[in-house]
């Protein structure tokens, strides 16, 4: 067996360590998708009529659309009629952590999520989402003192309908794409954040999402609004239990930054990637987009993607305000049969707008890892600047790395830079480490972490450590 | 007990169906406190010897044995060989972008300590120590922050190897043509480092093409390797004779 084969073999023997299910009473919608399903969801959530109409309009649009096939992904057909579009734990609201189903708490414990006390001490408000409903929200009071609204989107629909109505769908319209339309029709829950004018959010906001119920698609919808001169950092972490069948996840995240506002959105995604033969795993079709609506606003996406069987995700920034700034920092690791088609879009419209893209793709096993990015400079975007760096790292000889950068420039004053590299973890590098007493597993971890350093630097401290560990876990037994 | 005992070593290189025999019954004994120089024409198996001893993938031992103190090297993984005190200064040190020299060396020192059941060096002490060592081999301590060998010149890479030798203080140091491509100043720095490392408890195997290095590191024994075997051994004067006459009269 050659070294590469050994690497691949060890990789494929990795076992997803978060593979377990939680046994709790759940309420769910009938399997299948039609207008009644949407009415059912909307009624369950006691939604106003305008939102039901909005959902139905999205459903209409979705029916006329086709699943996109331009990505470098091999996806078996999804039967949308075999999915249940709503699941929620029967017990609804909790005043204290003691009321939360102990099974749920046990789940979080197994995931190693630093729960309640630790989290509170660390000063992080956590909005847990178990399947479709928010189960527990902490630190609400402290946030409301600052005027910050941080709640589930269902709650926001009830409590702050004017804000939801004003911004929902303004960054990602219903007809934006197939999966966004689907999400708009059936979205279950997600987070809502509003930071008032001039307020610096007193803590990092964090949400853990988890798909739990068998056969339940999760359609998360998140809306974050940073009013003029405000600042917020939002952390999202995901992991899901082991499943045999594929699970669909089609989320939409919309960010709105008004004048001088700044939003930093960080994701660590570690959903079940499927087994070594590509059986099971999460289908992750995500539309994430931010609008730098006001002058001098800034939106920064940082993502560490290690999970899911299929990742289709392009967190983007529309730079409408003059002097606004968009950033995208990404690490995408694929292993075994995983497929990722991910990247970003930077749409420059305002004057002196700037964007930075740093993408690090790591492929191992027989996975396919693809960067797809668009930099568009509109005629109105005087003196726009973009810098893009795309690096790929290959481990073993059966994986693939692809880069599809699109540049559309309609303004002569623009400066656009693109750098790309592809490298391989070489046997010589591994041997050099081993010869200094470092075993090959640790060596691969060190090399991969070094490769991702520029992105990890952008993560909040707490996540940076987690992300480093996550890569090492994902590469456990990578080489023999 | 001898430090290194190589007996009737046969080794091949290459994949299973196209193996090529390189070492064909090599014998070598290195005792503590000794410096052995291994010389020989191109393709005689000098580097292969270094690679086989250190366990580089791609080489297969087909016959014979090799021991470091009482450990059978053939039974150990490359990193385990390093952990029991075998060090190879590479002929072509490899670049590892993104991993800083400092991080790499701390990981190395920690791995060795862990394997030996020793306490880990505290980071501040480590940094101070490694900075001194860098300066002692004429490397700007700024190099420690850069990726391993990333953008280093040939001479800097070799001095980095010697700095690692001084840091890790192995039982046995194998230097694979560390002198090649060095100017006379760098050569002296390298030689000075090796002399500093040398003690009555450890051993050095110098693989070299040229007598030049042996002006600075005086060997106790000089061996001539040809066609996978040691065909002549002697003291330092043998190296001078080789310089004078070449290898042809021996082979």
């Amino acid at each position: 067996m050659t070294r590469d084969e050994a690497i691949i073999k060890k990789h494929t023997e990795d076992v997803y360590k978060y593979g377990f299910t939680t046994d709790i009473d759940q309420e769910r919608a009938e399997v299948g998708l039609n207008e009644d399903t949407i009415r059912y969801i909307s009624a369950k959530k006691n939604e106003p009529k305008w939102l039901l109409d909005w959902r139905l309009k999205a459903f209409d649009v979705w029916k006329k659309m086709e699943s996109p096939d331009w990505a470098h992904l091999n996806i078996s057909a999804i039967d949308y009629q075999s999915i249940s579009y709503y699941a929620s734990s029967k017990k609804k609201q909790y005043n204290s952590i003691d009321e939360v189903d102990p099974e749920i708490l046990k789940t979080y414990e197994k995931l190693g999520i630093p729960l309640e006390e630790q989290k509170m001490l660390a000063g992080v408000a956590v909005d847990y989402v178990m399947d479709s409903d928010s189960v527990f929200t902490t630190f609400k009071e402290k946030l409301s003192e600052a005027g910050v609204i941080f709640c589930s989107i269902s709650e926001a629909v009830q409590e702050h309908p004017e804000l939801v109505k004003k911004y929902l769908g303004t960054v990602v319209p219903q007809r934006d794409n197939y999966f966004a339309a689907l999400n708009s029709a059936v979205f279950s829950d997600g987070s809502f954040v509003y930071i008032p004018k001039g307020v610096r959010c007193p803590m990092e906001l964090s949400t853990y999402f988890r798909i739990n119920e068998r056969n339940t698609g999760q359609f998360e919808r998140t809306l974050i609004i940073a009013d003029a001169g405000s600042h917020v950092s939002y952390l999202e972490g995901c992991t899901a239990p082991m499943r045999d069948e594929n699970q669909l996840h089609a989320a939409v995240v919309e960010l709105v930054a008004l004048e001088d506002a700044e939003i930093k959105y960080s994701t660590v995604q570690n959903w079940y990637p499927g087994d070594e033969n590509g059986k099971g795993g999460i289908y992750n079709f995500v539309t994430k987009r931010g609008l730098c609506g006001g002058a001098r606003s800034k939106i920064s996406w940082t993502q560490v993607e290690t999970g899911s069987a299929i990742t289709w995700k392009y967190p983007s920034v529309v730079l409408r305000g003059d002097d606004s700034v968009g950033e995208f920092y990404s690490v995408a690791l694929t292993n075994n049969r995983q497929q990722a088609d991910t990247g970003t879009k930077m749409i420059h419209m305002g004057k002196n707008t700037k964007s930075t893209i740093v993408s690090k793709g790591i492929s191992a096993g027989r996975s396919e890892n693809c960067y797809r990015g668009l930099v568009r400079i509109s005629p109105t975007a005087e003196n726009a600047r973009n810098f893009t760096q795309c690096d790929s790292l290959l481990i073993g000889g059966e994986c693939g790395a692809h880069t599809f950068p699109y540049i559309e420039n309609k303004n002569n004053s623009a400066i656009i830079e693109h750098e790309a590299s592809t490298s391989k973890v070489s046997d010589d590098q591994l041997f050099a480490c081993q010869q200094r007493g470092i075993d090959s597993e640790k060596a691969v971890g060190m090399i991969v972490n070094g490769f991702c350093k520029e992105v990890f630097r952008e993560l909040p401290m707490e996540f940076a450590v987690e992300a480093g560990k996550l890569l090492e876990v994902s590469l456990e037994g990578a080489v023999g | 007990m001898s430090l290194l005992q190589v007996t009737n070593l046969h080794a091949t290189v290459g994949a299973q169906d196209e193996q090529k025999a390189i070492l064909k019954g090599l014998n070598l004994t290195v005792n503590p406190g000794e410096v052995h120089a291994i010389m020989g024409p191109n393709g005689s198996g000098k580097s292969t010897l270094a690679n086989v001893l250190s366990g580089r993938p791609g080489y297969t031992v087909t016959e014979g044995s090799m021991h470091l103190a009482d450990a059978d090297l053939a039974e150990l993984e490359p990193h385990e060989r390093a952990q029991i005190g075998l060090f190879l200064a590479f002929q072509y040190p490899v670049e590892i972008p993104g991993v800083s020299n400092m991080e790499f060396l701390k990981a190395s020192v920690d791995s060795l300590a862990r394997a030996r059941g020793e306490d880990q060096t505290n980071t501040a002490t480590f940094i101070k120590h490694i900075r001194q060592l860098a300066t002692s081999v004429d490397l700007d301590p700024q190099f420690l922050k850069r990726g391993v060998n990333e953008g280093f010149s040939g001479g800097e890479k070799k001095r980095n190897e010697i700095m690692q030798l001084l840091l890790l203080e192995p039982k046995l140091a194998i230097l694979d043509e560390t002198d090649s491509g060095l100017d006379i100043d760098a050569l002296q720095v390298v030689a000075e480092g090796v002399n500093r490392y040398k003690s009555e408890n450890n051993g050095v195997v110098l693989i070299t093409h040229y007598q030049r290095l042996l002006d600075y590191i005086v060997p106790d024994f000089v061996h001539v390797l040809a066609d996978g075997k040691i065909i002549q051994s002697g003291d330092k004067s043998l190296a001078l004779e080789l310089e004078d006459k070449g290898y042809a009269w021996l082979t």
Side-chain angles (χ1 to χ4, degrees):
Chain A
M1 193 160 61
T2 71
R3 179 159 210 88
D4 284 351
E5 280 164 359
I7 290 170
I8 290 153
K9 185 154 186 301
K10 280 293 207 95
H11 257 285
T12 55
E13 284 164 4
D14 272 6
V15 176
Y16 183 69
K17 84 180 205 203
Y18 303 135
F20 47 83
T21 62
T22 305
D23 205 4
I24 50 168
D25 284 340
Q26 294 221 336
E27 201 179 355
R28 54 193 305 169
E30 295 272 318
V31 167
L33 181 57
N34 52 45
E35 274 198 25
D36 289 342
T37 320
I38 291 160
R39 288 178 196 282
Y40 173 84
I41 295 168
S42 193
K44 272 280 161 203
K45 294 181 164 296
N46 196 22
E47 286 176 353
K49 183 162 184 309
W50 67 264
L51 190 51
L52 173 61
D53 292 344
W54 193 83
R55 287 178 180 274
L56 291 171
K57 190 183 146 202
F59 182 58
D60 259 356
V61 169
W62 179 73
K63 279 190 291 189
K64 290 173 198 131
M65 292 175 104
E66 277 181 25
S67 193
D69 61 356
W70 42 262
H72 187 80
L73 297 171
N74 185 6
I75 310 167
S76 48
I78 300 163
D79 180 1
Y80 291 93
Q81 296 306 335
S82 69
I83 296 168
S84 169
Y85 288 83
Y86 183 80
S88 93
S89 28
K90 271 180 189 156
K91 218 171 173 186
K92 291 275 173 187
Q93 283 292 324
Y94 304 101
N95 297 320
S96 96
I97 192 102
D98 303 331
E99 292 176 31
V100 177
D101 193 324
E103 282 290 323
I104 293 178
L105 296 181
K106 227 186 273 171
T107 305
Y108 290 139
E109 210 171 291
K110 277 189 230 169
L111 288 170
I113 295 169
L115 195 63
E116 71 261 359
E117 301 299 323
Q118 302 99 303
K119 244 350 186 185
M120 288 191 208
L121 289 170
V124 181
V126 179
D127 186 322
Y128 293 114
V129 175
M130 169 72 87
D131 280 8
S132 309
D133 261 332
S134 288
V135 240
F136 194 69
T137 304
T138 50
F139 272 92
K140 234 173 187 173
E141 281 168 29
K142 191 172 172 190
L143 290 170
S144 68
E145 264 171 45
V148 172
I149 303 167
F150 177 36
C151 60
S152 69
I153 197 141
S154 315
E155 198 180 330
V157 168
Q158 306 299 329
E159 306 290 327
H160 311 282
E162 72 295 341
L163 284 172
V164 178
K165 200 171 176 182
K166 184 172 174 189
Y167 290 105
L168 185 72
T170 56
V171 187
V172 180
Q174 288 136 306
R175 59 178 63 253
D176 188 81
N177 67 70
Y178 188 77
F179 299 108
L182 178 64
N183 175 287
S184 300
V186 301
F187 75 86
S188 38
D189 217 335
S191 294
F192 177 83
V193 179
Y194 173 77
I195 316 289
K197 273 183 191 153
V199 169
R200 205 180 166 87
C201 187
M203 60 189 76
E204 307 257 4
L205 301 180
S206 157
T207 309
Y208 285 95
F209 295 97
R210 183 171 170 75
I211 301 173
N212 190 54
E213 181 75 338
R214 196 169 271 265
N215 271 331
T216 304
Q218 180 159 347
F219 303 93
E220 172 223 335
R221 184 102 198 179
T222 287
L223 177 57
I224 299 176
I225 303 141
D227 213 328
S230 69
H231 179 284
V232 62
S233 172
Y234 185 91
L235 288 68
E236 172 199 31
C238 314
T239 173
M242 185 178 271
R243 293 290 185 206
D244 274 338
E245 67 270 54
N246 292 302
Q247 288 187 303
L248 176 66
H249 183 85
V252 172
V253 176
E254 295 179 280
L255 310 182
V256 180
L258 301 181
E259 211 171 82
D260 294 301
E262 186 177 338
I263 301 174
K264 191 172 168 59
Y265 193 106
S266 313
T267 307
V268 173
Q269 189 263 113
N270 182 27
W271 284 341
Y272 179 53
D275 68 12
E276 65 266 37
N277 298 314
K279 192 171 184 321
I282 303 293
Y283 280 20
N284 193 23
F285 300 98
V286 185
T287 306
K288 285 185 168 170
R289 193 177 302 148
L291 171 66
C292 282
R296 295 169 303 278
S297 54
K298 179 178 175 184
I299 288 177
S300 182
W301 297 102
T302 306
Q303 63 173 17
V304 177
E305 303 279 324
T306 62
S308 294
I310 289 173
T311 300
W312 181 96
K313 182 182 175 190
Y314 316 91
S316 306
V317 184
V318 179
L319 297 150
R320 197 162 70 195
D322 290 347
D323 301 286
S324 59
V325 176
E327 293 176 340
F328 174 73
Y329 298 95
S330 169
V331 167
L333 183 150
T334 53
N335 191 3
N336 294 319
R337 293 283 192 167
Q338 278 179 280
Q339 305 177 68
D341 193 300
T342 184
T344 184
K345 288 191 272 187
M346 291 291 173
I347 312 297
H348 292 254
M349 295 162 76
K351 295 184 183 71
N352 308 313
T353 46
K354 265 199 293 197
S355 62
T356 304
I357 298 169
V358 177
S359 164
K360 305 276 179 178
I362 302 140
S363 329
R366 286 175 292 176
S367 68
E368 291 287 326
N369 199 323
C370 161
Y371 167 82
R372 186 183 304 277
L374 169 67
V375 176
R376 178 184 290 153
I377 314 286
S378 314
T380 51
E382 284 294 319
N383 299 315
R385 284 221 55 170
N386 163 264
F387 172 76
T388 300
Q389 187 188 331
C390 286
D391 298 322
S392 305
L393 185 67
L394 301 164
I395 302 172
E398 290 186 72
C399 52
H402 314 269
T403 304
F404 301 99
Y406 301 85
I407 297 171
E408 293 174 13
N409 182 19
K410 300 209 169 96
N411 190 308
N412 287 334
S413 64
I415 301 174
I416 300 165
E417 289 172 78
H418 184 97
E419 288 178 9
S421 76
T422 303
S423 52
K424 198 171 175 223
V425 177
S426 73
D427 289 353
D428 284 351
Q429 286 174 332
L430 289 180
F431 181 63
C433 293
Q434 288 178 291
Q435 217 307 301
R436 296 300 181 258
I438 304 164
D439 66 60
S440 47
E441 210 164 89
K442 168 99 179 110
V444 168
M446 209 164 66
I447 293 168
V448 169
N449 272 301
F451 176 73
C452 300
K453 215 174 261 174
E454 286 157 281
V455 173
F456 286 171
R457 206 167 44 210
E458 298 297 325
L459 286 170
M461 194 55 163
E462 183 197 347
F463 257 25
V465 175
E466 204 173 293
K469 272 193 214 143
L470 185 57
L471 290 199
E472 276 175 27
V473 168
S474 305
L475 291 164
E476 238 166 46
V479 283
Chain B
M1 196 193 322
S2 57
L3 189 56
L4 177 70
Q5 183 68 56
V6 178
T7 310
N8 190 33
L9 189 65
H10 289 69
T12 61
V13 68
Q16 223 145 32
D17 44 348
E18 46 193 67
Q19 283 181 340
K20 194 171 168 234
I22 306 284
L23 299 183
K24 302 168 184 171
L26 186 141
N27 294 294
L28 180 66
T29 303
V30 178
N31 292 304
E34 291 176 355
V35 175
H36 291 243
I38 299 197
M39 305 182 74
N42 287 327
S44 57
K46 300 192 295 297
S47 287
T48 296
L49 175 62
N51 288 330
V52 169
L53 290 175
S54 58
R56 185 190 280 272
Y59 295 86
T60 313
V61 173
T62 50
E63 206 183 323
S65 69
M66 43 185 186
H67 285 81
L68 183 68
D70 53 1
D72 182 354
L73 290 177
E75 287 183 357
L76 300 177
E77 292 288 318
H79 67 276
E80 294 168 329
R81 300 185 196 191
Q83 288 165 354
I84 61 161
L86 186 146
F87 179 95
L88 171 63
F90 288 96
Q91 182 177 4
Y92 304 109
V94 65
E95 298 191 5
I96 310 177
V99 179
S100 80
N101 234 351
M102 188 80 90
E103 185 188 349
F104 176 75
L105 295 174
K106 183 73 168 75
S108 171
V109 167
D110 287 349
S111 297
L112 296 184
R114 207 174 311 122
R116 294 166 189 169
E118 296 162 5
D119 289 337
Q120 298 207 346
T121 322
N122 130 321
T123 305
T125 313
F126 171 79
I127 291 174
K128 201 171 157 209
H129 182 48
I130 192 70
R131 283 172 159 267
Q132 281 167 354
L133 287 181
T135 311
S136 79
V137 294
D138 230 5
L139 271 182
D140 185 338
Q142 287 299 320
F143 274 73
L144 297 167
K145 294 184 187 165
R146 295 194 3 209
V148 176
N149 291 317
E150 200 178 0
F152 287 24
S153 73
E156 285 160 352
K157 285 179 182 171
K158 296 297 177 75
R159 277 178 284 166
N160 194 8
E161 295 294 291
I162 298 306
M163 181 185 76
Q164 294 177 25
L165 170 69
L166 292 166
L167 173 71
L168 302 178
E169 297 177 327
K171 278 191 205 149
L172 179 76
I174 305 165
L175 278 68
D176 189 6
E177 300 200 24
T178 300
D179 54 332
S180 66
L182 291 186
D183 62 31
I184 195 74
D185 294 336
L187 187 72
Q188 284 178 3
V189 170
V190 163
E192 193 280 321
V194 175
N195 287 327
R196 193 147 32 105
Y197 153 76
K198 237 171 58 179
S199 81
E200 58 190 19
N201 299 316
N202 60 36
V204 178
V205 174
L206 285 178
I207 292 170
T208 181
H209 259 296
Y210 303 105
Q211 198 288 130
R212 193 175 66 152
L213 180 65
L214 307 182
D215 286 343
Y216 301 96
I217 308 170
V218 181
D220 301 297
F221 300 91
V222 173
H223 308 279
V224 176
L225 184 58
D227 194 25
K229 273 187 270 197
I230 287 172
I231 53 163
Q232 182 91 5
S233 296
D235 60 12
K236 191 185 177 311
S237 62
L238 178 58
L240 293 168
E241 201 174 350
L242 288 169
E243 172 136 291
D244 204 32
K245 300 188 193 165
Y247 295 107
W249 62 284
L250 286 168
T251 52

